[in-house]
Amino acid sequence: MNYQGVINRYKKYLPVTEATPIITLLEGDTPLILTKKLGPKIGEGIEVYLKYEGLNPTGSFKDRGMTLAVSKAKEKGAKAVICASTGNTSASAAAYAVCAGMKCVVLIPKGSIALGKLAQALIHGAQVVAIDGNFDDCLTLVREITDKYPIELVNSLNPYRIEGQKTASFEICDTLGDAPEYHFIPVGNAGNITAYWQGYKEYKDMGKITKLPKMCGFQAEGAAPIVRKKIVKDPQTIATAIKIGNPASWKRAEAARDESTGLIDLVSDDEIIAAYKYLAAEEGIFVEPASAASVAGLLKLNKQGFFKNAKPNTQNPIRIICVLTGHGLKDPDRAIASIAEPQVLPKDLKAVVKEIGF
Ligand code: AN7
């Protein structure tokens, strides 16, 4: 049968029954790309794979969780969903709400979400409310609203979001035949690191894999509450998707780090932009800045000699996953701001030929 989305593919590991209406845009089944340059740059015998989640239907990993959260909301008869968002959750909620025939309300921090994401929420007909505050303020409001009014919360506080997102670990293990050694991932509200870790643990418990990866999460320097062990009141970073100062799944991210003997570290905006450009220019993959935090983290650790005692061989390569959470087209302004604008020439053949080097 043709591919039917993550719920159908992993039904037996998800909290669905015959009574659950499956609301899907055929999310998931994203490519796991073996890098040609990044792996060899880290070291011989090291394989770096990119889980390209930007190829989900709305351009980010959020769709994996949204298919389940919206299906379960529909099952219980909800008429509307709501979320706070740095952009991708709102784009995904808006699209899946359309498929479910539900109203969608999104609260976004004013002026802090990338153009593509705002365009998505608007074109899918969500009611978009910009709040004069940051993401954490939006999430506080949404929690209060869903406590009091009949509208379904579809942030990752909703356990079905995490359940759906864990399918990405299943896909990685199914493709590789076992778990990788390392799993690098950006951390914002910390739902995704929680979901991946849960997915790996479940596959291990079921005997589908023989080992667990070390979870290595990365926050942006100006929005790194877990690293600094302190709420960040006014988070700042160009990676607007992870501009979050008080992550909802803070404790569970720490648990993923500690149980896996991994780490959560920070990367600067400059490191994020360098990784963002590297992926585009060297691997041919365009991601949004927040997504590049995983690769920025890998490059940072490598520079510090993190892998220098690794002893891979051709039979047993060290396999590293970097999750690329969102598509580059989400934030076109950032791409243009990062590179010189194109040169303008007169409509003159000689001038053009000369410019392109013939
Ligand atoms: C591209 O959309 O929080 O640690 O409201 O869009 O699970 O929060 C987005 C988060 C990484 C961080 N990469 O994941 C939202 C939102 C991208 C993202 C993250 C987000 P979490």
Side-chain angles (χ1 to χ4, degrees), residues 61-62 85-89 187-192 241-242 244 288 325:
F61 70 97
K62 303 285 181 183
S85 183
T86 57
N88 280 324
T89 302
V187 175
N189 214 23
N192 212 24
I242 53 173
I244 295 175
E288 65 171 283
T325 45

Side-chain angles (χ1 to χ4, degrees), residues 59-62 83-91 117 135 155-156 161-162 165 185-194 240-242 244 247 288-291 324-327 330:
S60 86
F61 70 97
K62 303 285 181 183
C83 64
S85 183
T86 57
N88 280 324
T89 302
S90 65
K117 305 174 189 182
F135 168 82
N155 279 105
S156 55
R161 280 279 313 281
I162 304 289
Q165 283 174 215
I185 183 169
V187 175
N189 214 23
N192 212 24
I193 190 172
T194 301
T240 52
I242 53 173
I244 295 175
E288 65 171 283
S291 304
L324 303 179
T325 45
H327 202 285
K330 295 274 189 175

